[in-house]
Amino acid sequence: MNIDKIIHTRYATKAYDSSRKLTAEQEQQIFDLLRFSPSSVNSQPWHFFALSSDEARQRIIPAMTEPNISKIMNSAMVIVFSTYKEITETHLNAVLAQEKIDGRFATEQNEKNQDEGRRFFVGLNNSSLDEQRAWMARQAYLSLGFLLLGAAGMGLDATPIEGFYRDKMDSALFLQDQNLTSVVIAAIGYHGSNDFNARLPKSRLNQNSVLTHL
């Protein structure tokens, strides 16, 4: 991965080439990008829905705003990022158990410290259900950023999408029954010849406007 080239050339794709699909290896790499995304205190308060079939895409079309429908239908894969409506004991225990399986604790005290530390930080963002959901949504956006950069490193194009109706999306994917709610979407694939954004120069505010080096 040439990180310098990627950060200067990647962009939000506006039109996709529907004839170009992902290989099984590329799909698995995307799944790995999502699963290994960073999150605060390794909380992982999310579930990702990867839509690649036409049937799956059609399910969420009623939840999309008009400008984004073509991206959903023509990209190679669509990822719907969802988070829990409320973080549960079951989830916290599952994360801790997996960390133990993966060998992260040399002693029982290390395990206890990790559990207590995570619960402390979850508690800091738990004065209300809305605050907890906002904190979990921020974790989903960390994952989104990880995916966007990773996809570019794979030579793929991607588009972050907030233009959808959450209630309709939750209904389309039956998220209410899973203690989940949709947060953001990403389309992934290859840009089409009609993607005007591919031909435009990248534009950002100058470094002194957005960065202070102390």
Side-chain angles (χ1 to χ4, degrees):
M1 177 189 292
N2 185 333
I3 191 67
D4 187 63
K5 180 179 178 180
I6 288 171
I7 62 177
H8 285 92
T9 58
R10 73 141 303 278
Y11 66 97
T13 299
K14 304 302 181 183
Y16 285 90
D17 182 348
S18 61
S19 69
R20 300 189 69 181
K21 307 300 182 182
L22 302 179
T23 65
E25 181 180 7
Q26 287 174 317
E27 288 186 348
Q28 187 57 56
Q29 287 177 326
I30 289 169
F31 300 158
D32 287 344
L33 279 168
L34 295 169
R35 192 164 68 88
F36 287 95
S37 296
S39 61
S40 177
V41 290
N42 198 29
S43 53
Q44 306 172 66
W46 49 43
H47 192 91
F48 310 104
F49 292 83
L51 286 58
S52 55
S53 69
D54 289 341
E55 179 184 7
R57 296 163 192 274
Q58 288 291 346
R59 281 176 58 183
I60 69 168
I61 289 303
M64 302 305 304
T65 57
E66 180 62 36
N68 292 306
I69 290 177
S70 62
K71 300 183 188 77
I72 296 301
M73 294 308 299
N74 294 328
S75 59
M77 178 177 284
V78 177
I79 305 295
V80 179
F81 296 73
S82 72
T83 59
Y84 292 112
K85 289 184 176 180
E86 183 175 6
I87 203 161
T88 64
E89 280 290 314
T90 299
H91 177 72
L92 292 175
N93 290 335
V95 171
L96 187 69
Q98 188 63 54
E99 288 173 331
K100 186 173 184 177
I101 291 170
D102 291 335
R104 289 185 61 84
F105 309 126
T107 67
E108 289 185 2
Q109 187 61 48
N110 292 151
E111 180 180 357
K112 183 174 184 291
N113 291 344
Q114 174 70 358
D115 187 37
E116 290 178 350
R118 179 158 41 237
R119 290 174 184 275
F120 172 77
F121 282 104
V122 170
L124 284 179
N125 296 277
N126 197 26
S127 63
S128 70
L129 193 56
D130 284 343
E131 183 183 32
Q132 187 182 105
R133 290 179 180 177
W135 175 76
M136 289 189 285
R138 291 195 292 273
Q139 312 317 309
Y141 274 85
L142 284 175
S143 180
L144 172 65
F146 204 67
L147 175 68
L148 294 177
L149 185 62
M154 294 168 60
L156 298 173
D157 298 305
T159 313
I161 299 173
E162 292 184 314
F164 67 96
Y165 303 102
R166 178 173 298 171
D167 290 347
K168 292 182 179 180
M169 183 65 68
D170 290 0
S171 178
L173 296 176
F174 306 105
L175 301 190
Q176 304 96 323
D177 301 332
Q178 304 174 65
N179 187 36
L180 296 169
T181 187
S182 51
V183 175
V184 68
I185 298 172
I188 303 169
Y190 296 91
H191 71 270
S193 59
N194 58 335
D195 182 7
F196 69 89
N197 211 22
R199 299 185 294 274
L200 298 178
K202 201 174 185 73
S203 177
R204 293 293 187 273
L205 293 171
N206 68 63
Q207 180 170 304
N208 291 335
S209 297
V210 300
L211 190 150
T212 300
H213 186 182
L214 302 176

